[in-house]
Structures are given as structure tokens and as C-alpha cells.
Amino acid sequence: MKTAVPRLPQRHVHRPRLIAALEAATPGQVTLVSAPAGYGKTLLLAEWAARRPELTAWVSLDADDDDHRFWSGVLAALATCAVVPADSTLRRLAVPAGPSADPTFLAAVVDALDLLPGPVRLVLDDVHEVTTPGPVHGLACLVRDRPPGLHLVLASRSDPPLPLARMRMVGELCEVRAEALRFSVPEASALLAAADVVARPDDVRLVVEQTAGWAAGLRLAAVSLREAEDPDRFLSDLVGNSRALSDYLVGEILARLPAAVLDLLHAVSVCDPVSAPLATAVSGRLDAGEVLDALEHDTSLVLSSGPGRIWYRLHPLLRSHLLADLTRRRPDLVSDLHARAADWYADGGRPVPALAHARRAGTPDRVALLLRRSAVPLVAEGEHGTVRDTLDWLGDRVVAQDAWLALVAALVDIESGALGPADAHLQRADAVWPARPAPELVELRTLVRARRVSLTGDPAEMVEATEVLGGGAEEGRGPVVMGELERALALLAVDRRGEARVVGAAAVQRARQLGQPYLAARGLTVLGAVEAADGDYRRMAELAEEPTTSRGARTGRPRPAPRCRPSCAPTGRC
């Protein structure tokens, strides 16, 4: 969904002058489309992208994009481009931990882009959502080191933290700003006509003047004008600043919607985006998808996107208004709606959004239950940030009173290199250890302790700590692959390379079968370290190119193995 170009609404007004402004960028320039919300940036770029889809890679950024998700999205988008050959390194690059701080990874991306046979466009939409240091630095590096064949297009509500003044001075920047995005009178007339609004020329000029050509305001005005009994009176009330205008127009739309449709929109306002099945789950309406489809067709306030166009997004102003209104009137219902969304995502095997909605529901018991079910698989998939955020939300007090949660917290700490906090969580787990622990709890503690020893212990301790790890037969046991990897590293540390190779290969095979590309990539790294220790650098390079998924894998996103250095051998962390 993040890499799909949004679909243009049926009543979209084409604006040739803006397409020409985008086409005016010269080779080597970065295009910046910068304007506040509602100025039509996304639709303009979607129309432009649709003209040359084979050249265009699209990434819709959001507030949850950490460094890893940012680069995963960029590489996934580039992989959809027809101009990117099947054998391009871009299709095989693995995203390491801390990619924007990894000069080898950044250089590999730039080099792969430079080797493309033709130009490619990379559109990054909603760049203002990228605020954490990692992706901000990564974006700056991509802008700085971009090859001539890459046309980088940034859409943002505010100027990104880039050296724009210098770029402007040396002619590296092509800009399309709010002034250019404002609708002219002829464009506004076309927009009103497309919305089946009959307006006199003077009325068109008045509405453009009152809205300052703001695209969202014009579209909202068109919907209200179409239904207004007295258009002149309606237009005479379009006064005040843009916030007052947006509040008034949203109120006008909501006031004219049937109560049942309004209830549906209130319900789905807790989700962004929302699919028809999800809308049905939170609202209880079997026809939720048809209603959303009709709203997209009739009002453009709802836009579909993603594979198959099955996901919908409410206009941000409309959604904000609906959610704020519902929170003010029925905070209990908002909590219940988030809980329904959490259950729907959990039932569908999507723990990341399930946990996000469970947190917003404000129900610690549901959050803890979901985390118990999904924490180890999430760690196995590299979703350490999600697990950490959820543990932080539960709070130290809750985590310290639950041995399972304390061990999960220790595991995440170890994965991020925070050994002091990891030791503290291990001590808390021991303090509340049950008299009769479940086998899964014992297995998790064994894995966490082995992982801890593998980072700082001596080789003999590593071998001893991992003696009972791995080799499990049950396919669904999350810690099995991680245990096998720890065992392989321990064997490598004591120079039992043949055994390490066998155990590591079994771990990679199991990870592929379970659809765990993150662990498969780690396993390939371990195998690469084994070959490096043997001096077989050709085989090490071959392992770096092997896929992390296999036919028949149940789930997972392909992540090629990271390239390994011989110095990685003691820990398997490159």
C-alpha cells in the first residue's frame, strides 16, 4: 500500500500547467512540492506519475516510518519500476540495522541507482511525517549523493530539513509551492462543473477569492453548493480565515449526510487507512464498503489506494473533524472502536496495527495479551520498535511483574545493544519467576540468556549456554530459529565450523519455511561468517545474494542477506 500510486478520483480536474511545472525539472534537480494540507499535492503527483508509470517509484510516508521502514519502503518502491532490471542490486539489497548510519549500505543504494539503464523517478509523499533522526539523515544523504539518473520528488506540508537555499542557489532545486498549487478561476470553474455545480462567473470568482484557491476548500464548497438551496447566501458566508472556512465546510457536508452514513464515518475515523472488511468490523455495517465506494465516487472525500484499491482514506480534514467530535462526545465509543480494530487486525495475523489500536483503546489487558501472542514472532521479523513501543506503553511496573514480558523486554534490549537494561530485565524476570513455569517460558529464558552470553561471554560459555537451543520440531515455535542461530554462532566461536555450517543452514531453511526473512538474513550472515573463517570469500559473496524466502513460505517480505565481514563472526552482528 505504501508503494501504490493513489488513484485519481473520477471528478479529478487535470491541470496541465502544473504537469508542465513538474516536467520542467532538468536532469540532476530535486523537485520539491511544498504546501500546507489540502493543496492537492498528492493528486497532482499521482496524475504526473500515471503518465509514465514505468519510470515512477512511489512511497507514501507516515509517522510510523522509522529508519528501517523508510529504506524498506524506498527499495520496495524501486523494485516495482519496469526500468529497474530483474538483476539490479536494488532488488536484493538487505536493509541493515541503522541503515542511514551505514555508509556501506547508502553507497550500495546510490551505486545501484547509478547503474540503472535509464532514468527513474522516486516520489516521496508526505515527507513532513519523517521526523526521527535516522530517516531524516538518510534522506539528506540520498539528496546529497543522488546519481544523475534519479529524479527525486519530495512532497511535504513544510520544507524538509535539507540545504534548500544552497540547492536553489546552484540550480539543483525545482519548486512547486502553494502559490502555484492554488486554483485559478478557470480551474475552479472546471472543478465546480465536474462536481455538477452550475455557478455564474461572478460566483466562481467569489469562491476562489474566499478560499484563496485552496483545493480542499473548493472541493468542499462544490459539495455544499450542489446541495444548497440558496447558493448566494451560502457564498456570502464564506468569510474568515482558512480554519474557519474548513470547519464550516466540513460542518456543511456532515449536516447533509444521512445519519447512517455519518455514523459509519464516525466509526471508521479511528482507522487510517480503512478497508471494507475493517470498516464492517468497527461499524457493524455489512454495506460499509459500498458506502465508502459511493463517497469516493460522489465527493472525493474518500480516496482508495493500495493493491486492488481496497483501502480507503478519508480526507484528512474530514477525518480529524469526525474523530475530534466523537472523542468529545463519546470517548467510551472511541475506545471500543479501537478495540474492535485491534481484534480485526489480530485475527488477520497483523500484530503491528493490532497493537497500535489496542494501545489507543487504552486497555492494558488486551495490549498485554496481544503482546504475549506476538512478541517473539515480531522480534523474529525485526519489528523491534513495535515491541519496544508496546512495552513502554505498558510501563515498567507492569513489565516487571510479568516474567514473560520482562524476558521479552530483555530480548529487545539485547537486540538493540542495551546490555545494562537487558540485565535489569533479566533480574526482574528471575524475581517473579513462577514455581511451575510453562515450557515456553523456560525456552524463552534460555534463548535470552544465550543471546546475552553470545554478545559478551567467552566461547566456552557460549557453547554451554546454547547446548539446549534449536532443533525443535514444532513449526510454530518462534524461538526455534533464533536458538539455532545462537548455537551456530557459538560453534563458530570455538572453531567448530563444520557443525556451525550445518546448524546455520538448518536455521536458514526453517526461517524460509516459516516466512521469517529477517532471521533468514541473519542466518545467511552467520553462514557467510563461517565461509569467511574458511577463507572462501566467493562462497560468502554467493550467500549474500541468496534469497531470504522460498516458494511456499507462509508470509514475510523478501529481505536479502546483509553482506558480512569476517569480523562479524563472534556475534553475527554486521
Side-chain angles (χ1 to χ4, degrees):
M1 183 175 59
K2 290 176 66 65
T3 60
V5 178
R7 183 171 63 182
L8 295 173
Q10 187 176 13
R11 299 173 186 269
H12 178 69
V13 175
H14 300 285
R15 306 175 73 186
R17 66 179 179 85
L18 293 178
I19 297 297
L22 294 173
E23 295 287 357
T26 59
Q29 282 190 317
V30 172
T31 296
L32 173 64
V33 183
S34 180
Y39 272 81
K41 301 181 293 294
T42 298
L43 289 180
L44 169 63
L45 291 174
E47 179 184 351
W48 179 66
R51 293 169 176 255
R52 297 296 302 274
E54 74 281 3
L55 300 181
T56 305
W58 183 288
V59 184
S60 297
L61 301 169
D62 56 62
D64 292 331
D65 281 327
D66 57 16
D67 204 13
H68 195 280
R69 276 170 53 92
F70 172 82
W71 283 108
S72 295
V74 168
L75 292 178
L78 289 166
T80 66
C81 284
V83 296
V84 177
D87 61 350
S88 171
T89 307
L90 291 170
R91 298 182 182 272
R92 303 190 304 275
L93 271 177
V95 181
S100 292
D102 188 332
T104 302
F105 169 76
L106 295 175
V109 172
V110 173
D111 290 344
L113 287 167
D114 198 29
L115 291 174
L116 292 178
V120 63
R121 301 166 169 176
L122 175 57
V123 179
L124 301 180
D125 194 24
D126 289 338
V127 172
H128 57 274
E129 296 281 15
V130 177
T131 57
T132 54
V136 168
H137 176 68
L139 175 62
C141 291
L142 184 60
V143 169
R144 182 193 65 205
D145 300 329
R146 67 193 184 280
L150 174 65
H151 184 185
L152 192 58
V153 183
L154 312 177
S156 181
R157 293 182 182 178
S158 57
D159 285 354
L162 296 170
L164 300 180
R166 183 193 62 77
M167 295 171 65
R168 190 179 296 118
M169 183 175 63
V170 298
E172 294 182 349
L173 193 63
C174 176
E175 299 175 82
V176 180
R177 295 190 168 273
E179 186 62 35
L181 290 167
R182 291 190 176 105
F183 272 64
S184 65
V185 170
E187 289 170 337
S189 181
L191 184 150
L192 295 174
D196 298 327
V197 174
V198 178
R200 301 187 303 264
D202 288 347
D203 289 340
V204 176
R205 280 192 290 271
L206 177 60
V207 75
V208 170
E209 178 183 337
Q210 296 286 1
T211 62
W214 180 44
L218 285 166
R219 290 191 178 96
L220 293 169
V223 175
S224 295
L225 277 169
R226 190 171 60 204
E227 303 294 334
E229 294 181 1
D230 187 348
D232 290 336
R233 182 177 178 182
F234 173 82
L235 289 172
S236 68
D237 288 334
L238 289 178
V239 294
N241 58 40
S242 61
R243 179 177 177 82
L245 172 64
S246 65
D247 289 344
Y248 177 80
L249 292 174
V250 171
E252 280 292 303
I253 290 174
L254 297 178
R256 297 175 186 278
L257 289 174
V261 174
L262 188 56
D263 288 343
L264 171 64
L265 289 177
H266 272 112
V268 301
S269 68
V270 303
C271 305
D272 183 39
V274 61
S275 65
L278 176 54
T280 295
V282 297
S283 70
R285 288 190 54 165
L286 297 178
D287 64 342
E290 286 137 11
V291 175
L292 291 173
D293 189 62
L295 286 169
E296 178 186 27
H297 182 273
D298 296 337
T299 69
S300 298
L301 294 172
V302 177
L303 295 178
S304 62
S305 63
R309 305 294 180 181
I310 62 173
W311 290 90
Y312 297 89
R313 271 199 155 96
L314 274 63
H315 189 286
L317 292 175
L318 178 62
R319 178 174 177 265
S320 296
H321 178 90
L322 290 165
L323 187 54
D325 178 59
L326 192 62
T327 301
R328 182 175 58 255
R329 294 187 297 105
R330 293 288 309 278
D332 58 321
L333 180 56
V334 172
S335 178
D336 184 52
L337 292 169
H338 277 300
R340 295 178 202 174
D343 291 343
W344 184 85
Y345 276 116
D347 291 343
R350 299 184 59 186
V352 174
L355 286 167
H357 279 286
R359 295 195 299 267
R360 294 181 188 121
T363 52
D365 290 344
R366 176 181 269 102
V367 173
L369 179 60
L370 284 172
L371 191 60
R372 281 177 176 275
R373 294 176 183 170
S374 59
V376 173
L378 284 171
V379 173
E381 293 169 9
E383 294 284 356
H384 306 143
T386 295
V387 178
R388 168 56 59 205
D389 290 345
T390 306
L391 290 168
D392 290 344
W393 186 90
L394 287 171
D396 290 339
R397 193 160 144 193
V398 172
V399 173
Q401 294 172 351
D402 187 301
W404 178 275
L405 294 178
L407 287 173
V408 168
L411 182 58
V412 174
D413 287 334
I414 291 169
E415 291 296 324
S416 61
L419 301 186
D423 291 340
H425 281 121
L426 280 168
Q427 291 173 3
R428 293 183 185 117
D430 289 340
V432 294
W433 195 254
R436 294 184 177 179
E440 295 81 5
L441 185 60
V442 175
E443 183 181 42
L444 180 60
R445 180 167 69 170
T446 304
L447 171 66
V448 174
R449 289 188 178 279
R451 185 71 175 133
R452 176 67 178 85
V453 169
S454 72
L455 295 182
T456 58
D458 62 40
E461 280 186 299
M462 292 171 64
V463 173
E464 181 180 355
T466 60
E467 192 70 43
V468 298
L469 289 176
E474 296 89 343
E475 183 178 329
R477 288 172 61 197
V480 169
V481 178
M482 288 186 280
E484 289 176 334
L485 291 176
E486 294 306 314
R487 181 62 177 167
L489 284 170
L491 293 168
L492 178 59
V494 294
D495 206 29
R496 290 159 61 178
R497 282 172 264 170
E499 295 174 74
R501 185 180 289 109
V502 171
V503 175
V508 171
Q509 182 180 8
R510 191 189 299 272
R512 286 169 171 161
Q513 291 171 345
L514 295 176
Q516 296 174 332
Y518 171 77
L519 290 183
R522 276 182 53 186
L524 289 169
T525 301
V526 172
L527 291 176
V530 173
E531 301 304 335
D534 271 346
D536 191 345
Y537 297 108
R538 176 177 296 179
R539 177 57 183 152
M540 184 183 72
E542 290 173 353
L543 287 167
E545 303 299 328
E546 282 197 17
T548 57
T549 57
S550 62
R551 295 184 184 273
R554 295 182 306 171
T555 183
R557 298 173 297 276
R559 294 185 194 173
R563 295 188 179 273
C564 179
R565 301 182 300 274
S567 59
C568 303
T571 65
R573 298 179 63 161
C574 294

